[in-house]
Each structure stands twice: as C-alpha cells, then as structure tokens.
Amino acid sequence: MVIKHNAINLILDLLNSSKTMDVKELNTEAVEELSLSGIVRFPTPAQIELTYAGEMVAKVLDSVKNEINIDESAKWVSSEVIAMIDSAIKNGGKTTKISNAELEKRGFAKNGELTQAGKDIFSAYEIINPELAIDAELADYIRKSPMGPTDAHYLPAEGNKKDLLEAMRIIAYSIPVGEYFTFTELGQAVKETLTYGGWADEGSVLDISILEDIAKVADGEELELDSLANLEMLGYVADVDQLTKAGEKALEVYRIYKDKTDKPLKTFAISKEEVETLKTIKHIWEEKTTQNPEETPTFDEIKAELIDRKVKEYKKLIETYGKRLDEMPKVKQEIAKKFQDLSDKKKWFEDNFDLREYLYSLEAFNLISEGVDAKGKAVYFITENGEKVLADQNSDERAIHSWSVKTLAISNKVFSAPNREWVESARKERILGTYEPSKSGLMYEELAQSEKLPFVTRYEMDIFKMIPSSGIACEDILEGKDEDERRKILEAVDKLEAKGFIEVMPDGHIVETEFGKLMDDAMSGVPEGFGAPINPTIYRVVKAIADTGSMYVKEQKIRILPENIKKAIKLSGLSKDVFDKAYIAAREAKYLGRNSVNEAGIKMLQAVLALNS
C-alpha cells in the first residue's frame, strides 16, 4: 500500500464526493498508485471510486488529517509504516524508539502506544487486495533492478515505477525511513518469472488474467485461441499445452499472490567456536581415523584436539599483543589473562569453553549427528549440511549471526525488509553483497530451512524467561546492563531466534514464536538449576520411546514395555551409555516417567513437529 502526500486530498475528496470522480483532472501517478494498492477502482475507464478497504483507509485518514506532519515528498502509508505498525501490534500495541517518531507524524502512535487509527489502517491493509499489473516497460525496470536487500538508492530512478512496485507489494523498504529495499517473496517470484518470459515490446506481460490463463493450462482446461496465442508469444506456454520454465515460475507467482500469508521466519547461526569444533571433527575423521581406526571423534578426542588448538591460538595472541592485552577484542581479553595465570590448560579450557554446548548446537542445526562407531563408542558424524558449512568456512572462518541470515530470509515475508544493523552485519559476514545475497548467503538461507532439533542453554533460558507472552522491546532487556552483559544478552537473543524460540522484529521488539510458546509450556516443569532444559540427545531419547510405545489418551502418556527399551535405543541411533544417561536426564526434566513419555514430553515433541512443519 502506497499513499503519498499528494494523494491525501484525493482520497478525502473521494470520501466526501458522490462516490465517483472523473480522472481527467487528477494526478495520474497518484491514481495509478492508489489503483494498484487496491484503494480505488475504475467503475468506468474515466472514473474512480473507493474500494471497500479504500473507504476504511479514507475514514482513518479523515480522523487523523489534522495530526499528519510529514514532508510533501513523504508517504503517509508505505511498506515500512505497515511493518512498524505490525511490530507494535505484536508487542501489545507498544512502539519503540525506532518506530515511534515516524508513526506519530502520521497519527498512528502517541506516547509510545499505537492509536486506534494505527490499528484501523492495519486492519484495512490486511483485507485489501492489491493489483498485479506489469506491462512491458515495468517488466524491463524489474529486470534491471537489483534483488536486494540493498541500499534504496540502487533502485533506478524512472518516474514512479518503484512506487508502483511497492504498491503491488513487489518490493518493501526498511524501517524507519526506507534506507534499504528488497524484493518480497512475491517480488522475487515475479522477478524470476520475468527472467525467463514475459518478453514483449508493449502491453501487459504479467497480470492476474494472464496468471489465471496459465493456471488453466496447468490444470488441463481449454483456453480461447487468442489467450493461448498470447501465452505462447509471452513465452509461458509451448506446444499448446506445455508450460515453459517461465510458465512454471508464473504459477508460483499466482500461488503467492492468492495465499498472502507470511511463513514463519527461519534463520541460522553458528559461532566461531562451533566452526572450530566442526573443523576438529572433520580433522579427526580425515587425519586420525584413516591412520588409526581406534581414533574416532568421541567427546574426549574432540576435547583433547580443541585444547591443543586453543592453547596454540592464545599463545599466538599473547605473543602478538604482548603487554597490550587491553587492545585485544574484549570477548578474548579475560580468557587471555586467565591463560597467562594458569599452568593447567585443561582446566583453563573447561572454565572458558563449553564443548558440550558447541556439540549440542551443531546437532540442533543439523550440522552433525551423534552416533555409534564400529566399536560401539559414541562419536560425531558430519552431515551433508555440515559439509556445506565446512566448504564455506574453509578459507573464510567467521561467525554467522541470526540477524545476518535474517537479512535475507525476511525478504520472504509480505511487507518486511531488514533494518540497517542487520544489513551491515550481513555485509560484514559476507553473506550479502552490494546488490544481493552472496553465494555463501544463499547457502546459509537454505540451511535455515532445514529441520532443527531443540536446544537451549541455561543462560539462554534465563533470557527467554524475560520475554513475556505479549513481547518486549530489546532496549528494555538491555537497560542498565554493562557492555559485557549486553553482548552476552544479544548473543543469547541471536541464538534463541536462530533456534526458533523467538523472532526479533525490525523495530527491536522481541516476540515468542509458536514453537517458543509451545516449548515454554513443555519446559515449565524442568527443575531450577537443571542445566540445559532441552538438548538434541534428550529429544532423541524421548522421540525414540514415543515412536516405540503406545499412546494412552486419557492419561496423556505414551507407555513403553520394558522389553522394548532395546528397540528404542536402536531407533535413537545413540550408544547405550549415552541413551541411558539421557534417559535419566529426561526423567529429571519431567519429560519421561519410569517407562513412559508424559504430557510435558508429548508437548515437547509436538513443538518440534511444529518447528519443522
């Protein structure tokens, strides 16, 4: 939806007129943008009138017209304004420092709260039906525009073409003032379609009627000869009834256009320590196991190798910085100082690094899988996704953050775009280039869609508990914290989002996801001081027992016969020793009874199913 300053009076005149107005004397661009936004329609070629949703918009505008304080070049409503309102609604109607000023200028917020006008304009946005009408000239504009996310000034300046794309929800701008833009999920599908087809010198090349005709061909329905000839000329159909690649892509456009629902945002994160752990596992398999089959990547073998690597790393750091340790990155300063003071390097490693957490995290993101070697020992195998990460990190080792991957993933939403911090982070981590995602970025965006296993650390759980069901602003969680604690909190928030527990909105609001709410309920019985409330190993044990047992609906339990435990161990893929220890832990965490999966365990399994659906 796009409503510029120059369209305000036009909408108010329509509201106060006899329902229709002649277009002859009206601003042509404003009429075009309002029509594509779904605010006005043409009952006759020479007249316009408000649509049902357009009348809702007009009444909201009339109620706040004296409060609007925007520049003449500004938009009263736009993709970034809708995104800010959406974030506020998800946080109980509260705005943030990022969004409040811009919303107040438009009559949509007051004293840190959404006004009724803000809520009403969003209600209108939700029911409005924007047009999809792309002619040959606009198609060429789309083809030469960068995919994004990138700086808004990289959009070619050609009349009001970028405003037409925004009106049709093909592109969206970042909050609060549109510094960056990206093609939305619909826009990406349109752009891809026009890469393969829609080639013409003039006339419409992609609109609703064309999409409907393509759908009829796909369904085997007959078309009038003129319509079929048009599809063939545009490159959507070949040999009378065969969709070309462009036609297949256009079907996806039609599906997205008709669906209009946001998918849950999925992202990904990996720390440098986790990358090192992954590389260590690879090294042991390739360098040690090949020489001695007894040396496999068990927990102890990985730990010994990592201690050696970390000792060498910090020796080199101390040699480089000498007495200037204060110039070292803060996250490493304290570790380096402790390294100097200790002779027991194993204790130093255990005090400052948590290998078990790294392994759990890697398995949660489907980069490794704990299994059993030929001797029955618990070992770690690298998955296909893990190999992809290793290939990317081989010559460019770095952490990848959720907010960086989200810079790309958020483009799959209807009207959202990343904020400045996310874009800068994504470029720094080299998953976003100048104009569009890098090859590395596309790979991490793909990994974000992979199935995940549940895992949350004790510290992450403490942060998770600070987020009420109504949401909270990130600035409120960080208030009064020193620099080190702020860094730890932000890292926990980043991981919680990557694991699917929360979503951080572009304006800084944090909201629980559906998975997060379900897991919150499932973990409510975990005793204080238990440690990590859920990890991939506990999940695998609970799932194996559930898959082996029988459901007792009245009791809300899945019972397993004692003689079937061996079957459950085999099904889990874990060694007997690991299974037994995790079984005890699962009972202590209240997911399991003596020989059953209880209600909390069932809820946890249902939550993971929802996460990966």
Side-chain angles (χ1 to χ4, degrees):
M1 188 192 296
V2 171
I3 303 174
K4 292 183 188 172
H5 193 285
N6 62 11
I8 288 176
N9 288 334
L10 193 161
I11 294 172
L12 292 174
D13 288 345
L14 272 171
L15 180 67
N16 299 318
S17 70
S18 56
K19 297 297 182 184
T20 62
M21 289 177 63
D22 292 334
V23 298
K24 188 176 180 182
E25 303 299 325
L26 300 178
N27 183 305
T28 304
E29 288 189 354
V31 170
E32 191 177 17
E33 290 154 14
L34 294 177
S35 173
L36 291 179
S37 292
I39 294 170
V40 303
R41 61 180 167 229
F42 288 83
T44 71
Q47 291 182 311
I48 59 170
E49 64 183 8
L50 291 169
T51 62
Y52 173 75
E55 193 166 340
M56 290 174 65
V57 170
K59 288 177 180 177
V60 174
L61 175 57
D62 190 50
S63 72
V64 298
K65 61 187 177 185
N66 296 323
E67 299 171 37
I68 297 172
N69 182 27
I70 57 175
D71 296 335
E72 288 193 8
S73 60
K75 300 167 189 171
W76 177 58
V77 177
S78 60
S79 55
E80 60 265 41
V81 171
I82 292 297
M84 288 187 284
I85 293 173
D86 175 57
S87 293
I89 287 172
K90 288 176 178 173
N91 195 45
K94 295 178 181 178
T95 60
T96 65
K97 291 177 182 177
I98 295 173
S99 63
N100 192 71
E102 292 302 320
L103 291 178
E104 277 200 355
K105 289 179 187 177
R106 293 162 171 81
F108 298 142
K110 195 169 186 179
N111 300 323
E113 299 274 348
L114 274 186
T115 60
Q116 190 59 46
K119 296 171 185 176
D120 290 344
I121 201 73
F122 192 79
S123 296
Y125 178 87
E126 287 191 301
I127 67 167
I128 213 161
N129 284 313
E131 293 290 329
L132 184 64
I134 299 167
D135 61 17
E137 193 176 345
L138 194 55
D140 286 339
Y141 181 84
I142 290 170
R143 290 185 186 108
K144 65 187 177 186
S145 297
M147 183 72 82
T150 189
D151 306 71
H153 63 75
Y154 287 127
L155 267 173
E158 295 183 16
N160 69 331
K161 287 186 175 62
K162 58 187 177 182
D163 300 319
L164 301 181
L165 297 187
E166 186 182 14
M168 292 186 280
R169 307 185 190 181
I170 287 174
I171 63 171
Y173 290 93
S174 63
I175 70 166
V177 291
E179 288 180 272
Y180 303 98
F181 88 96
T182 185
F183 274 77
T184 62
E185 182 186 28
L186 174 65
Q188 290 174 49
V190 166
K191 189 170 173 62
E192 197 167 3
T193 298
L194 295 174
T195 301
Y196 298 103
W199 299 97
D201 294 328
E202 59 182 7
S204 183
V205 300
L206 194 66
D207 58 30
I208 300 304
S209 62
I210 288 172
L211 291 174
E212 287 173 344
D213 285 343
I214 292 170
K216 287 177 182 177
V217 173
D219 292 339
E221 298 179 27
E222 287 191 11
L223 276 184
E224 292 184 6
L225 290 177
D226 286 350
S227 298
L228 189 59
N230 187 45
L231 293 183
E232 289 182 335
M233 181 191 72
L234 292 171
Y236 298 126
V237 172
D239 300 327
V240 181
D241 61 354
Q242 297 296 311
L243 291 184
T244 62
K245 190 165 187 177
E248 291 172 353
K249 297 293 182 184
L251 268 184
E252 179 65 5
V253 171
Y254 192 50
R255 182 197 66 76
I256 296 169
Y257 177 81
K258 297 295 282 186
D259 188 17
K260 290 188 176 72
T261 55
D262 269 338
K263 299 173 184 174
L265 187 141
K266 295 186 178 183
T267 182
F268 177 92
I270 187 169
S271 68
K272 282 197 73 172
E273 286 75 22
E274 289 159 6
V275 171
E276 287 181 77
T277 303
L278 190 61
K279 286 184 173 183
T280 300
I281 296 170
K282 177 80 168 177
H283 170 77
I284 294 170
W285 278 119
E286 291 190 345
E287 302 296 328
K288 292 192 170 184
T289 310
T290 52
Q291 300 296 319
N292 179 3
E294 295 290 325
E295 288 192 69
T296 52
T298 61
F299 180 87
D300 290 337
E301 189 68 34
I302 297 167
K303 183 177 179 180
E305 184 73 25
L306 270 177
I307 290 173
D308 186 51
R309 288 182 176 220
K310 282 296 182 185
V311 166
K312 289 178 181 176
E313 177 190 343
Y314 276 83
K315 273 184 178 178
K316 187 175 180 181
L317 272 173
I318 290 167
E319 287 171 3
T320 301
Y321 283 90
K323 295 180 179 180
R324 299 176 291 109
L325 290 186
D326 290 341
E327 297 176 18
M328 188 182 290
K330 286 189 180 296
V331 71
K332 292 189 175 185
Q333 277 183 28
E334 289 302 315
I335 301 175
K337 288 173 182 176
K338 290 174 185 176
F339 179 86
Q340 285 182 311
D341 297 337
L342 280 175
S343 57
D344 187 345
K345 303 309 178 190
K346 181 182 176 183
K347 185 178 185 308
W348 166 80
F349 179 86
E350 290 172 345
D351 288 345
N352 294 283
F353 305 97
D354 195 325
L355 175 57
R356 186 66 70 185
E357 282 190 4
Y358 306 154
L359 292 169
Y360 282 150
S361 187
L362 290 171
E363 184 160 19
F365 288 106
N366 192 25
L367 303 182
I368 63 171
S369 179
E370 186 175 5
V372 186
D373 68 7
K375 298 286 187 179
K377 293 185 294 184
V379 295
Y380 295 88
F381 298 95
I382 296 173
T383 64
E384 183 181 347
N385 285 352
E387 293 289 358
K388 290 178 182 178
V389 171
L390 284 168
D392 175 73
Q393 295 274 347
N394 186 44
S395 57
D396 187 16
E397 188 174 302
R398 73 243 187 248
I400 301 293
H401 289 90
S402 173
W403 50 69
S404 298
V405 179
K406 184 169 59 174
T407 300
L408 316 184
I410 202 169
S411 304
N412 297 324
K413 286 182 168 281
V414 175
F415 52 77
S416 294
N419 65 30
R420 172 197 282 271
E421 288 77 12
W422 301 352
V423 171
E424 290 176 350
S425 177
R427 285 178 172 165
K428 184 179 179 182
E429 291 171 13
R430 295 171 291 288
I431 63 174
L432 179 65
T434 303
Y435 304 111
E436 57 191 18
S438 63
K439 184 179 177 182
S440 174
L442 292 173
M443 185 270 292
Y444 285 112
E445 185 181 11
E446 182 185 345
L447 292 187
Q449 303 302 316
S450 297
E451 288 195 359
K452 296 182 175 78
L453 299 185
F455 173 50
V456 62
T457 68
R458 184 71 256 171
Y459 183 75
E460 288 164 3
M461 188 64 189
D462 291 341
I463 301 302
F464 186 54
K465 284 181 178 178
M466 295 169 66
I467 302 165
S469 57
S470 59
I472 192 170
C474 199
E475 60 200 43
D476 292 337
I477 290 181
L478 298 175
E479 190 176 4
K481 304 295 191 296
D482 62 30
E483 185 181 348
D484 188 53
E485 189 61 20
R486 287 171 68 92
R487 175 186 59 79
K488 288 177 182 176
I489 291 171
L490 288 174
E491 285 177 358
V493 166
D494 187 68
K495 280 287 193 175
L496 283 168
E497 181 173 51
K499 293 168 183 175
F501 286 84
I502 61 171
E503 181 179 346
V504 183
M505 310 300 288
D507 70 346
H509 275 131
I510 305 171
V511 295
E512 277 188 328
T513 61
E514 189 59 34
F515 169 70
K517 290 173 183 175
L518 291 169
M519 283 301 296
D520 205 356
D521 188 21
M523 296 186 296
S524 60
V526 177
E528 285 291 330
F530 175 76
I534 185 65
N535 63 56
T537 311
I538 287 177
Y539 166 78
R540 288 170 65 177
V541 168
V542 175
K543 188 168 191 314
I545 292 172
D547 290 345
T548 311
S550 300
M551 181 70 182
Y552 287 71
V553 179
K554 286 185 178 180
E555 296 179 84
Q556 280 295 291
K557 285 185 178 181
I558 299 172
R559 296 189 182 280
I560 183 173
L561 296 173
E563 58 264 31
N564 286 335
I565 287 290
K566 285 184 179 180
K567 185 179 176 182
I569 294 172
K570 185 176 181 182
L571 191 62
S572 74
L574 299 166
S575 71
K576 185 179 183 307
D577 182 52
V578 169
F579 184 96
D580 289 345
K581 289 177 181 176
Y583 184 92
I584 294 169
R587 286 194 65 189
E588 290 174 355
K590 312 301 182 186
Y591 299 120
L592 295 179
R594 183 173 177 81
N595 289 301
S596 64
V597 180
N598 60 26
E599 189 175 358
I602 293 171
K603 286 179 178 178
M604 182 266 288
L605 295 176
Q606 290 171 340
V608 177
L609 195 63
L611 173 67
N612 293 317
S613 61

